């Protein structure tokens, strides 16, 4: 049994910074990581085309001037290998590896009220007693097994994008099927299209994408950016989505200030797509609040797609039927152009769903498709998935998974859950997380939790717990923020509100008030002596 002040679950972006922050202030802390190496999301999502859709200059740690000066970004939005290399660089620079235990999955946690500590069990048999636990287990770390009958009967190779083999996969000459056209599919499809002999895309929901060029950064530009880091970080900190430069989120936010589509003439609308292509179709101030405006923008989006995709049936099939804004759009690199290739076929599952996998491929109501490889890009049990798969037993005997299943996903400030003392969660339901630049949101969490743990130690408190009534108020507040938007529309189904997981209670999972306002609220709570937390 290893005794710790704090156990951190996970050694991805959040876990690494949490480990560093707590070690710096003298806590006895270890990070436990289920994978064979650090990196979290960027360790396991090795699929072809994986990259970030936020500029690396902002999708990176801001806490160390030395690290941001020494690391060299080579592209505006980095690809997965570069981000993973960056995380390894940071871990080496801060000498974090000596306090990370890899190949070890936390499987159970029980709170011992007498000792005011968590008893933690792992799949290797190693056990820990930790006064506090910080779960940095990721918001998109549990892949969803698709509900496709007969999946095991497929005789070819089945691949999950988020568990992509480290040694890579050669798709040359293969007949490849991709299931899923979310952010992952949109990144993957153009790359696979260039490699495979034949690519069949099985699309259940068409995607909205935001085409944008990712380009190399040369030495002179990087030097200029580095010289301007104080300004870049200040702007980022003041920005609602934690990314003041170009990103999928900032494009969305910028739309709020644009003129409404509802009053735009036909000429105005056509000019928008003449000048800016499919981006111009979406760039209107009323699309987030007015479902009819959203529908009109989608219609225009369809016209813009039809200008890119040569086959009219394929172009029509690529037009989404859900409101724009309720699934996360992504910066895309030639997604629609892929469908002009002779080796790419789109199967619109709205015209007849997949019925089963068969040994030779996929059977749909529209016919059979012969494949050598099936790639599942079918998403995640987001936000609550990772902790629900650990038996985390709280003070009333229920597991956290049970609480979230029965009461709905929630937490006070998106940081702690009532009934689970001394357990901090980085990016719990109700945190800015999914609605922002995850890194900017995560740094705020790590710093707030670090300060809180320093305070508890200094003041001699052994236990902290969120009050249930404060949690209820926070959940109501976060729901009210999205009520006037299309996010509350019944046709809005995505991982953001749990609709992608059968049986998950539907609730918008992020805090949509922006990071600066969220930070202000969290700081106010701390300054007032941790209002609405019980301290003992
Ligand atoms: O997952 P998704 P994702 N049969 O849930 C389909 C982040 N991310 O991995 O919408 C057929 O968005 C499903 O269809 P439907 C980002 O935050 C970031 O793509 O349920 N299809 C959908 O098309 C993102 O939002 C980056 O009808 C099935 C797809 O699979 C989040 O990760 C890059 C199916 C799942 O889409 C998740 O994105 C990549 C079935 N049985 C990801 N089951 C960047 O930073 C599911 N689908 C750039």
């Amino acid at each position: 049994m290893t005794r710790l002040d704090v156990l951190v679950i996970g050694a991805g972006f959040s876990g690494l910074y949490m480990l560093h922050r707590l070690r710096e202030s003298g806590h006895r802390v270890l990070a436990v990581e289920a994978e064979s190496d650090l990196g979290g999301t960027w360790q396991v999502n090795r699929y072809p085309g994986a990259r970030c859709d936020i500029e690396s200059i902002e999708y990176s740690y801001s806490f160390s001037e030395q690290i941001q000066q020494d690391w060299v970004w080579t592209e505006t939005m980095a690809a997965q290998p570069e981000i993973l290399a960056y995380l390894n660089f940071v871990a080496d620079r801060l000498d974090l590896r000596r306090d990370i235990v890899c190949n070890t999955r936390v499987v159970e946690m029980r709170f011992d009220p007498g000792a005011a500590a968590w008893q933690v069990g792992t799949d290797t048999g190693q056990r820990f007693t930790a006064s506090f636990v910080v779960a940095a287990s990721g918001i998109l770390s549990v892949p969803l097994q698709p509900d496709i009958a007969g999946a095991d009967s497929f005789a070819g190779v089945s691949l999950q994008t988020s568990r992509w083999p480290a040694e890579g996969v050669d798709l040359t000459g293969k007949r490849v099927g991709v299931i899923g056209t979310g952010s992952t599919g949109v990144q993957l499809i153009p790359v696979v299209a260039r490699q495979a002999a034949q690519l069949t895309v099985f699309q259940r929901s068409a995607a909205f994408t935001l085409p944008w060029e990712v380009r190399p950064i040369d030495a002179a530009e990087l030097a200029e950016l580095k010289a301007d880091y104080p300004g870049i970080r200040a702007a980022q900190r003041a920005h609602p989505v934690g990314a003041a430069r170009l990103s999928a989120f900032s494009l969305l936010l910028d739309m709020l200030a644009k003129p409404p589509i509802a009053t735009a003439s036909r000429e105005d609308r056509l000019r928008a797509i003449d000048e800016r292509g499919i981006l111009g179709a979406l760039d209107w101030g009323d699309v987030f609040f007015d479902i009819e405006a959203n529908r009109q923008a989608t219609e225009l989006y369809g016209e813009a797609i039809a200008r890119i995709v040569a086959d009219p049936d394929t172009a029509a099939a690529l037009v989404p039927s859900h409101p724009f804004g309720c699934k996360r759009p992504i910066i895309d690199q030639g997604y629609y152009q892929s469908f002009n290739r002779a080796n790419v076929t789109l199967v619109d599952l709205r015209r007849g769903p997949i019925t089963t996998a068969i040994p030779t491929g996929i059977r749909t109501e529209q016919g059979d498709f012969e494949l050598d490889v099936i790639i599942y890009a079918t998403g995640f049990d987001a936000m609550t998935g990772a902790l629900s798969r650990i038996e985390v037993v709280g003070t009333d005997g229920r597991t956290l998974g049970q609480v979230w299943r029965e009461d709905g996903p929630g937490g006070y400030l998106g940081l702690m859950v009532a009934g689970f003392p001394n357990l901090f969660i980085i990016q719990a339901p109700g945190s800015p997380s999914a609605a922002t630049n995850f890194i900017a949101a995560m740094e705020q969490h790590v710093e707030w939790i670090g300060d809180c743990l320093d305070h508890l130690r200094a003041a001699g408190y052994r236990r902290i717990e969120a009050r249930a009534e404060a949690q209820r108020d926070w959940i109501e507040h976060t729901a009210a923020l999205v009520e006037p938007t299309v996010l509350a529309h019944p046709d809005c189904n995505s991982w953001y509100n749990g609709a992608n997981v059968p049986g998950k209670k539907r609730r918008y999972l992020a805090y949509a008030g922006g990071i600066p306002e969220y930070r202000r609220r969290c700081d106010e709570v701390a300054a007032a002596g941790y209002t609405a937390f019980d301290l003992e």
Side-chain angles (χ1 to χ4, degrees):
M1 174 79 75
T2 308
R3 292 193 155 273
L4 299 168
D5 295 330
V6 189
L7 178 86
V8 175
I9 305 176
F13 252 109
S14 323
L16 292 176
Y17 183 27
M18 194 75 249
L19 173 61
H20 171 66
R21 168 66 183 80
L22 293 174
R23 228 170 53 174
E24 285 294 282
S25 54
H27 296 273
R28 271 175 305 152
V29 54
L30 273 186
V32 174
E33 168 57 55
E35 295 297 325
S36 59
D37 208 344
L38 58 84
T41 283
W42 299 103
Q43 170 66 237
V44 293
N45 282 273
R46 296 166 176 268
Y47 61 86
R51 73 166 65 238
C52 189
D53 63 357
I54 295 172
E55 289 198 14
S56 312
I57 285 297
E58 295 188 319
Y59 190 87
S60 50
Y61 294 118
S62 70
F63 68 83
S64 163
E65 177 59 12
Q66 201 57 50
I67 287 173
Q68 63 186 16
Q69 288 302 329
D70 291 351
W71 177 256
V72 176
W73 293 112
T74 66
E75 291 182 290
T76 47
M77 294 175 180
Q80 174 270 336
E82 188 160 307
I83 301 176
L84 185 58
Y86 165 76
L87 288 172
N88 277 282
F89 170 84
V90 172
D92 290 338
R93 204 32 105 73
L94 301 175
D95 190 20
L96 297 178
R97 283 178 208 281
R98 66 185 157 90
D99 289 319
I100 301 172
V101 184
C102 286
N103 292 309
T104 305
R105 181 177 291 278
V106 171
V107 290
E108 55 156 338
M109 291 172 42
R110 265 159 219 285
F111 188 71
D112 174 351
W118 285 97
Q119 307 293 340
V120 181
T122 67
D123 63 350
T124 63
Q126 193 173 359
R127 296 192 66 81
F128 301 91
T129 297
S131 305
F132 299 91
V133 172
V134 181
S137 39
I139 63 169
L140 292 158
S141 51
V142 177
L144 272 185
Q145 289 306 324
D147 51 354
I148 294 172
D152 291 343
S153 72
F154 176 58
V157 176
S158 297
L159 298 166
Q160 229 325 328
T161 47
S162 58
R163 295 293 178 271
W164 201 261
E167 64 281 11
V169 183
D170 185 7
L171 298 172
T172 317
K174 300 279 197 289
R175 296 166 305 171
V176 179
V178 170
I179 302 178
T181 49
S183 296
T184 300
V186 168
Q187 288 190 323
L188 173 83
I189 284 161
V191 184
V192 174
R194 292 194 289 272
Q195 287 176 9
Q198 238 178 286
L199 168 62
T200 309
V201 175
F202 297 92
Q203 171 195 271
R204 191 164 70 179
S205 296
F208 284 102
T209 78
L210 305 171
W212 203 271
E213 187 202 352
V214 174
R215 53 175 184 80
I217 307 180
D218 65 21
E221 184 183 358
L222 188 63
E224 246 177 66
L225 288 167
K226 285 184 176 179
D228 190 29
Y229 253 129
I232 291 171
R233 295 302 190 190
Q236 187 182 354
R237 215 177 143 80
H239 198 279
V241 296
R245 300 169 68 84
L246 178 89
S247 68
F249 288 121
S250 55
L251 281 172
L252 291 185
L253 202 74
D254 290 348
M255 287 172 190
L256 301 180
K258 300 289 168 63
I261 190 169
T263 54
S265 66
R266 175 77 184 144
E267 289 69 34
D268 290 341
R269 295 178 189 198
L270 289 178
R271 193 172 328 110
I273 57 173
D274 285 344
E275 288 171 1
R276 304 186 58 212
I278 67 174
L279 205 50
L282 302 170
D283 211 3
W284 306 97
D286 47 355
V287 292
F288 287 110
F289 302 101
D290 178 348
I291 198 70
E292 175 52 25
N294 200 296
R295 198 197 54 72
Q296 291 175 14
T298 304
E299 205 176 289
L300 191 59
Y301 188 79
E303 291 187 50
I305 293 175
R307 293 178 176 196
I308 306 172
V309 177
D311 174 55
D313 288 342
T314 306
L318 285 164
V319 182
S321 27
H322 58 273
F324 169 61
C326 33
K327 294 181 199 271
R328 185 183 185 281
I330 192 162
I331 301 268
D332 101 60
Q333 311 282 300
Y335 178 64
Y336 291 113
Q337 288 78 356
S338 306
F339 294 95
N340 287 333
R341 297 177 63 103
N343 68 332
V344 177
T345 307
L346 179 70
V347 180
D348 183 1
L349 298 173
R350 290 172 292 190
R351 303 173 77 181
I354 294 175
T355 50
T356 173
I358 51 177
T360 53
I362 292 285
R363 174 161 297 163
T364 74
E365 283 183 2
Q366 305 169 53
D368 289 357
F369 296 87
E370 299 216 331
L371 302 168
D372 305 309
V373 179
I374 299 177
I375 301 177
Y376 293 97
T378 41
F380 301 88
D381 184 355
M383 306 285 290
T384 57
L387 282 175
S388 296
R389 280 160 180 78
I390 300 173
E391 200 181 333
V392 184
V393 184
T395 48
D396 77 353
R398 289 193 298 166
T399 65
L400 187 49
Q402 221 178 331
V403 168
W404 279 337
R405 225 175 13 259
E406 290 166 5
D407 306 349
Y412 177 45
L413 296 176
L415 275 163
M416 293 192 96
V417 179
F420 297 84
N422 295 11
L423 169 62
F424 295 90
I425 302 171
I426 296 189
Q427 324 254 36
S431 62
S433 55
T436 62
N437 173 4
F438 168 89
I439 306 305
M442 170 280 288
E443 283 196 329
Q444 181 276 344
H445 268 209
V446 165
E447 286 154 18
W448 192 93
I449 293 168
D451 291 349
C452 178
L453 286 171
D454 291 350
H455 170 76
L456 297 179
R457 182 179 57 187
Y461 289 118
R462 297 195 320 147
R463 175 175 163 141
I464 179 168
E465 182 176 355
R467 288 194 195 137
E469 62 276 16
Q471 181 167 307
R472 265 195 306 275
D473 291 348
W474 186 254
I475 291 170
E476 276 174 25
H477 169 59
T478 52
L481 287 172
V482 294
E483 200 49 48
T485 73
V486 293
L487 291 165
H489 193 272
D491 291 345
C492 227
N493 297 313
S494 79
W495 65 262
Y496 275 79
N497 57 18
N500 66 330
V501 180
K504 197 160 170 172
K505 269 214 165 112
R506 194 183 167 105
R507 179 179 284 165
Y508 185 72
L509 293 169
Y511 173 79
I515 302 176
E517 172 58 14
Y518 175 78
R519 178 183 293 112
R520 190 193 65 71
R521 285 170 180 263
C522 289
D523 288 350
E524 201 174 80
V525 165
Y530 295 92
T531 334
F533 287 101
D534 287 321
L535 306 181
E536 280 175 32

